[in-house]
């Protein structure tokens, strides 16, 4: 069973920029994926349901 990680790198009012890992392998090494917040929420719900709970969302905090 695949394990998914959606890592939020940058968040603005309108967009969210993410990286996606499948089984700890980055699947978008060419750059960040840009989504609206609603699109990210739907993507997470779909992956969570399809992977039977093997999907997590991570927010990076930069200091």
């Amino acid at each position: 069973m695949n394990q998914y990680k959606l890592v939020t790198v940058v968040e603005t009012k309108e967009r969210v920029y993410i990286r996606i890992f499948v089984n700890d392998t980055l699947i978008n090494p060419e750059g960040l994926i840009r989504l609206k917040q609603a699109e990210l929420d739907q993507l997470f719900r779909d992956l969570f349901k399809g992977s039977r709970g093997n999907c997590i969302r991570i927010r990076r905090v930069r200091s």
Side-chain angles (χ1 to χ4, degrees):
M1 176 82 43
N2 288 332
Q3 208 173 27
Y4 301 92
K5 291 180 189 173
L6 305 176
V7 180
T8 300
V9 179
V10 177
E11 199 167 345
T12 67
K13 289 181 182 180
E14 299 171 359
R15 303 282 183 187
V16 179
Y17 297 83
I18 66 169
R19 292 180 193 216
I20 299 178
F21 293 85
V22 178
N23 299 328
D24 292 324
T25 302
L26 180 63
I27 64 165
N28 58 316
E30 66 282 346
L32 300 174
I33 296 173
R34 182 181 74 174
L35 300 169
K36 292 180 182 178
Q37 186 64 46
E39 294 170 334
L40 177 60
D41 292 341
Q42 185 62 52
L43 175 63
F44 176 73
R45 282 192 297 271
D46 292 344
L47 287 175
F48 190 85
K49 184 177 179 182
S51 67
R52 297 188 179 121
N54 286 318
C55 183
I56 60 173
R57 274 171 92 167
I58 301 170
R59 276 198 176 137
R60 281 216 162 139
V61 178
R62 294 184 189 188
S63 55

